[in-house]
Amino acid sequence: MTEADMDLLKRYKREIEYCTFCPRLCRFVCPTALAEDNETYTPTSKMTLVYLAEIASARPEEVKKAFYMCVDCKHCMTPCIHKIDVPKVLIAARAKAFRSGIADDNVKRFADALEKYDHPYSRIMGDNLKEVVDAGHRTRPAVADTEPSAAPGGTQAGPAPTVDGGKERVLYFPGCTALRFDKELVKDAMGLLSRLGIRTDIMDEPLCCGYPGYASGNMDWFMKVASRMKQVLDGYDTVVSTCPTCITTFRTLYHRHGIDIKARPVHMLEYIAPAVRPLLDGRKKEDTTAAYHDPCHLGRHLGVYDVPREIIDRLYERRVELLWNRDDANCCGGGGAVPLTLPGTSGKIARKRMGEFRSTGADVLLTACPSCVRWLQKADGDAKVMDITRVLIDRLAE
Ligand code: SF4
Ligand code: SF4
């Protein structure tokens, strides 16, 4: 981040001024403001605090908590007639706090861990990845910081031929949350892709997409891993993941930060939908009722609402909507590094969403994001929360 980038009032003048002087159409949807029941954390108040900090009328170290009170859900953009991207500005304010040495203490500790491992979790990630690779999946080497762009292809079995008569090269990117907490999903998702005739590589190192660094304001680390990822992703036509946050990061955040990749980032469900439809047609549906939670990164960030619902309708006899759904869906509380900086707020948001699910009377809550599954399940251990990809894998194995 350069000095010019640090001047948020120049960089985001329109956004900051619109929100500061706005009639606040978005204030009733912001999950952090609602969870904390605090006017300070409505989008307009948070943006006003950025404004005041920028014009030196508020001390950043005294108002910085508000910068972290955002789960990057973009829900405020739904009612906003100006379509102001509030989280983009708040995360830039976090980046400025990080650069100035006044970041949240948990963010500072987290930065050390990111630097040590190049991902948000401990060395268990490497052990889990080894298990996936040992299960027979092809690997593709990660690229060191200083190396020039490497030629594409698996180290163990050569380039990855895939669909379209072997023309398309596909990288399966597990995402840190799935690899850390649900390695069986990673193994089985690659197995499903293989069964569908889509041969994929997986990287032989658990390198992160960079989102945890971005969301916590650690932009130097984000840019470092994004540059390494670009060298890998430029060797592929498509990168597929069950994690919509990784896909959003590859598709939107990299471009916003000047990193354009060759691979087309696609969420797993969107990618496999054409191939699984014929396999599900005519199969007996499960005679239970499912509800669907739209992950913020799949819905509002990527605009994918129909594909998951359509797949659910092929798997279950009945589907019900949560009261807040599609571009008005409430967040699970797990985004924007809020579980790191404000875990209590994050938990309140997740419990509220699970309350919405309970009030539907549905038997199972389905979603399409490993972080949503983890966070929502944690909020209500007695509920059944599942990733649609997992349900598909199990159903197609019957
Ligand atoms: S996000 Fe839109 S509606 Fe909300 S305060 Fe800003 S300008 Fe107003
Ligand atoms: S992105 Fe979500 S949490 Fe952040 S200000 Fe907007 S509504 Fe609130």
Side-chain angles (χ1 to χ4, degrees):
M1 189 181 260
T2 64
E3 282 305 310
D5 290 338
M6 298 270 275
D7 187 342
L8 300 187
L9 209 42
K10 269 200 187 134
R11 197 165 147 213
Y12 297 122
K13 183 174 168 54
R14 174 178 174 269
E15 288 90 341
I16 294 170
E17 288 189 350
Y18 267 59
C19 289
T20 300
F21 302 110
C22 179
R24 310 168 174 215
L25 304 178
C26 61
R27 70 194 288 271
F28 300 106
V29 298
C30 179
T32 55
L34 294 172
E36 293 304 316
D37 195 16
N38 189 330
E39 188 70 21
T40 312
Y41 304 131
T42 61
T44 187
S45 296
K46 288 180 283 202
M47 291 289 263
T48 302
L49 291 171
V50 174
Y51 177 78
L52 294 173
E54 289 298 304
I55 63 168
S57 282
R59 292 157 67 93
E61 56 272 34
E62 285 170 9
V63 299
K64 67 181 181 190
K65 184 176 177 187
F67 305 161
Y68 294 103
M69 273 284 183
C70 173
V71 284
D72 191 15
C73 70
K74 286 195 184 225
H75 200 163
C76 45
M77 290 184 79
T78 299
C80 175
I81 55 172
H82 310 294
K83 297 298 166 207
I84 297 294
D85 191 337
V86 173
K88 177 174 74 176
V89 180
L90 292 175
I91 289 172
R94 294 176 196 177
K96 190 165 178 176
F98 189 85
R99 264 296 170 91
S100 313
I102 60 160
D104 176 277
D105 286 343
N106 286 342
V107 168
K108 290 182 187 168
R109 280 191 284 274
F110 188 52
D112 293 338
L114 291 178
E115 208 49 60
K116 189 168 172 190
Y117 296 111
D118 274 351
H119 57 71
Y121 301 113
S122 66
R123 63 177 57 88
I124 192 170
M125 291 275 283
D127 297 342
N128 288 355
L129 181 59
K130 187 171 178 310
E131 252 190 62
V132 174
V133 172
D134 287 350
H137 296 299
R138 308 152 60 87
T139 58
R140 198 280 183 213
V143 182
D145 302 3
T146 51
E147 283 180 18
S149 196
T155 48
Q156 297 179 339
T162 57
V163 293
D164 298 338
K167 284 187 220 132
E168 191 180 31
R169 295 172 188 280
V170 182
L171 180 75
Y172 181 78
F173 189 80
C176 297
T177 302
L179 191 56
R180 167 67 183 84
F181 297 102
D182 195 354
K183 62 190 174 201
E184 295 307 318
L185 178 70
V186 178
K187 281 190 228 169
D188 294 344
M190 289 190 78
L192 175 61
L193 285 162
S194 173
R195 179 177 168 191
L196 297 173
I198 304 162
R199 292 179 62 195
T200 56
D201 287 354
I202 186 167
M203 287 165 64
D204 67 357
E205 180 193 326
L207 185 61
C208 176
C209 69
Y211 182 80
Y214 164 78
S216 59
N218 185 346
M219 294 307 296
D220 287 343
W221 185 83
F222 168 73
M223 291 302 290
K224 185 180 85 167
V225 296
S227 301
R228 289 187 66 196
M229 277 304 312
K230 173 180 166 54
Q231 294 183 50
V232 176
L233 296 171
D234 280 351
Y236 289 88
D237 300 303
T238 304
V239 53
V240 179
S241 181
T242 57
C243 178
T245 303
C246 300
I247 296 301
T248 303
T249 302
F250 295 146
R251 197 185 289 180
T252 311
L253 296 182
Y254 280 19
H255 177 70
R256 188 189 295 163
H257 292 87
I259 296 175
D260 286 312
I261 54 173
K262 177 173 172 280
R264 180 178 59 113
V266 191
H267 186 266
M268 176 81 172
L269 291 183
E270 265 204 306
Y271 192 68
I272 64 174
V276 296
R277 278 184 196 115
L279 297 179
L280 292 174
D281 285 344
R283 278 186 184 247
K284 196 172 178 323
K285 297 181 187 181
E286 188 167 324
D287 190 15
T288 51
T289 304
Y292 176 62
H293 163 76
D294 291 273
C296 301
H297 277 106
L298 189 61
R300 281 181 292 268
H301 284 251
L302 294 172
V304 178
Y305 298 106
D306 294 329
V307 168
R309 288 174 167 80
E310 188 210 324
I311 293 176
I312 292 169
D313 289 343
R314 287 176 149 85
L315 292 165
Y316 290 84
E317 286 289 348
R318 293 169 299 282
R319 176 174 58 81
V320 292
E321 290 288 353
L322 297 175
L323 182 60
W324 294 81
N325 58 67
R326 299 181 76 93
D327 67 349
D328 243 335
N330 284 327
C331 180
C332 74
V338 175
L340 170 76
T341 52
L342 299 151
T345 307
S346 198
K348 282 184 213 171
I349 296 169
R351 286 192 290 279
K352 182 166 180 281
R353 189 61 168 160
M354 288 309 288
E356 284 177 48
F357 163 63
R358 289 291 192 176
S359 69
T360 66
D363 303 295
V364 57
L365 180 59
L366 299 174
T367 190
C369 169
S371 295
C372 292
V373 170
R374 180 163 176 259
W375 216 241
L376 292 170
Q377 189 70 80
K378 206 170 161 187
D380 183 348
D382 296 330
K384 192 172 175 188
V385 184
M386 293 185 78
D387 195 305
I388 299 171
T389 301
R390 164 53 61 199
V391 179
L392 263 175
I393 290 164
D394 294 348
R395 195 66 59 83
L396 291 173
E398 285 167 5

